[in-house]
Amino acid sequence: MVFQLLQQAGNDLTVDDVADWMDCERSTAYRSISRLLEAGVVVQEQVNYEHGGYYYVYRPGTPEDIAHDMQRLLNDWYAAIGQLIQEFEDRYSRDSADREKQPIGSCL
């Protein structure tokens, strides 16, 4: 819901803006935004006050950037799973050949 809000807002929002729009506590809005930041679908920008200090505003990432990151994550996952499958096959193909030499019921 927070991502959808940021997408529809049309301008950058602060955590307080999100909390107000979502009618929730500031801490709840902050946790939601933090998760979206970690997932890489939201962009954070620091805005500086003229006399010192700053605050952050948030906006959704571009659909192209998000799709690119999702594709990269999928490719990384696919490669990792492929490696695990190969390791499984290597290990149990070798072990099954050794087991064929042992009589059934052997504890070795």
Side-chain angles (χ1 to χ4, degrees), residues 9-66:
N11 59 330
D12 299 348
L13 299 177
T14 65
V15 171
D16 291 329
D17 294 333
V18 171
D20 290 344
W21 277 93
M22 301 297 295
D23 192 29
C24 65
E25 296 293 324
R26 185 180 194 287
S27 60
T28 302
Y30 180 77
R31 278 192 306 275
S32 294
I33 291 171
S34 293
R35 287 186 192 117
L36 292 169
L37 278 168
E38 287 176 26
V41 297
V42 167
V43 176
Q44 173 182 282
E45 183 178 329
Q46 180 176 313
V47 178
N48 297 317
Y49 291 112
E50 287 184 30
H51 302 292
Y54 62 89
Y55 62 97
Y56 291 112
V57 292
Y58 303 91
R59 67 177 170 279
T62 65
E64 297 81 12
D65 288 344
I66 294 170

Side-chain angles (χ1 to χ4, degrees), residues 57-107:
V57 292
Y58 303 91
R59 67 177 170 279
T62 65
E64 297 81 12
D65 288 344
I66 294 170
H68 181 266
D69 287 346
M70 292 169 83
Q71 184 65 56
R72 183 187 49 78
L73 288 171
L74 179 61
N75 292 344
D76 291 349
W77 177 84
Y78 185 79
I81 294 301
Q83 183 177 353
L84 288 173
I85 291 169
Q86 186 62 53
E87 290 172 7
F88 175 85
E89 184 178 18
D90 291 347
R91 176 176 180 180
Y92 290 103
S93 291
R94 186 175 50 242
D95 288 351
S96 65
D98 292 341
R99 270 188 254 118
E100 288 176 6
K101 297 176 187 175
Q102 297 177 3
I104 296 177
S106 172
C107 292

